Amino acid sequence: DGGITQSPKYLFRKEGQNVTLSCEQNLNHDAMYWYRQDPGQGLRLIYYSQIVNDFQKGDIAEGYSVSREKKESFPLTVTSAQKNPTAFYLCASGPGQGIRVHAQIQYFGPGTRLTVL
Amino acid sequence: GQQLNQSPQSMFIQEGEDVSMNCTSSSIFNTWLWYKQDPGEGPVLLIALYKAGELTSNGRLTAQFGITRKDSFLNISASIPSDVGIYFCAGLYNFNKFYFGSGTKLNVKP
């Protein structure tokens, strides 16, 4: 089955702890993205990557970090520096080679809901 | 960044009714996408539109790329309870970047 998987589905974190959200895709997509979704708001871009070992900050990167060591994987770490981390986090990937990274149609994973206690 | 205005923000309808929602902007867009997000899940791509005036269907869903290229419309016919969710539009600006609307929340009463 081709697709994007995110784990875990639900995550609880104590204040002051770092936590890592997993995103894996077997679609052979080059581009991968992380978004944050808050109730009643649109999607806000955290980080994106168009190629292995390269990634760029999105609109709200502060308090987050990523890595892209493999084409299939793009984990997101929510650090203790993120002031308001409770949110729904969505990973996405896009297929096109040679297409600008933000111009690609994006396919989303099922999301991870992070709650800070 | 570009602003996409989705309306209505939310709607409550009776099962069997038809639904219309739209996405508008003051800028011209090159591609329009419509996604549906079920509660607690990720958005799923429903329809992609590439040309002004294009009308595309996916089952009971029909979407149109506005003739001015500044808007797009999504219609759902004969709604059913599983249509409940949030519908997002996304527009490709200047062939360079997709911008997302803030969503229309649809509630269907059986």
Side-chain angles (χ1 to χ4, degrees):
Chain A
D1 251 22
I4 304 171
T5 57
Q6 291 186 242
S7 62
K9 182 75 174 167
Y10 300 96
L11 191 55
F12 297 89
R13 187 195 93 176
K14 291 183 181 176
E15 279 194 33
Q17 284 182 338
N18 292 355
V19 64
T20 297
L21 282 58
S22 167
C23 178
E24 305 275 332
Q25 53 97 2
N26 61 4
L27 300 168
N28 200 33
H29 287 174
D30 287 302
M32 296 187 75
Y33 313 78
W34 273 105
Y35 290 90
R36 172 183 170 134
Q37 186 177 35
D38 293 285
Q41 293 194 33
L43 304 176
R44 291 187 290 169
L45 183 64
I46 304 172
Y47 267 98
Y48 61 97
S49 167
Q50 190 159 20
I51 197 168
V52 173
N53 292 323
D54 186 56
F55 48 82
Q56 306 294 331
K57 291 182 180 180
D59 302 317
I60 56 163
E62 186 175 346
Y64 300 97
S65 66
V66 293
S67 63
R68 187 89 186 273
E69 296 175 5
K70 298 187 298 183
K71 185 175 182 177
E72 309 79 41
S73 178
F74 192 39
L76 173 74
T77 297
V78 184
T79 75
S80 56
Q82 168 50 234
K83 301 256 186 294
N84 185 19
T86 294
F88 191 53
Y89 290 88
L90 287 163
C91 178
S93 68
Q97 283 211 357
I99 299 175
R100 296 187 185 105
V101 63
H102 294 300
Q104 301 188 26
I105 293 178
Q106 294 169 38
Y107 298 87
F108 288 87
T112 291
R113 182 163 299 282
L114 173 63
T115 303
V116 174
L117 304 171
Chain B
Q2 300 303 314
Q3 295 287 328
L4 290 182
N5 302 307
Q6 259 191 271
S7 65
Q9 285 189 338
S10 66
M11 49 197 318
F12 292 81
I13 62 167
Q14 202 70 40
E15 182 177 359
E17 289 181 353
D18 296 344
V19 173
S20 288
M21 60 189 79
N22 66 69
C23 202
T24 61
S25 176
S26 58
S27 301
I28 289 174
F29 287 82
N30 312 115
T31 294
W32 288 99
L33 308 176
W34 284 93
Y35 291 88
K36 183 198 177 198
Q37 185 176 25
D38 289 333
E41 299 295 329
V44 173
L45 183 65
L46 298 173
I47 292 177
L49 302 159
Y50 299 101
K51 284 174 55 174
E54 182 180 352
L55 190 71
T56 297
S57 293
N58 178 2
R60 291 178 297 104
L61 277 62
T62 302
Q64 183 162 24
F65 195 138
I67 201 74
T68 65
R69 298 169 63 195
K70 295 182 179 180
D71 52 15
S72 180
F73 307 87
L74 177 70
N75 296 313
I76 305 172
S77 63
S79 59
I80 58 178
S82 63
D83 291 334
V84 165
I86 302 175
Y87 292 80
F88 288 100
C89 64
L92 178 63
Y93 177 72
N94 203 25
F95 294 103
N96 194 50
K97 184 174 181 180
F98 271 106
Y99 290 86
F100 290 89
S102 55
T104 292
K105 188 171 184 181
L106 178 63
N107 297 280
V108 179
K109 293 184 239 181

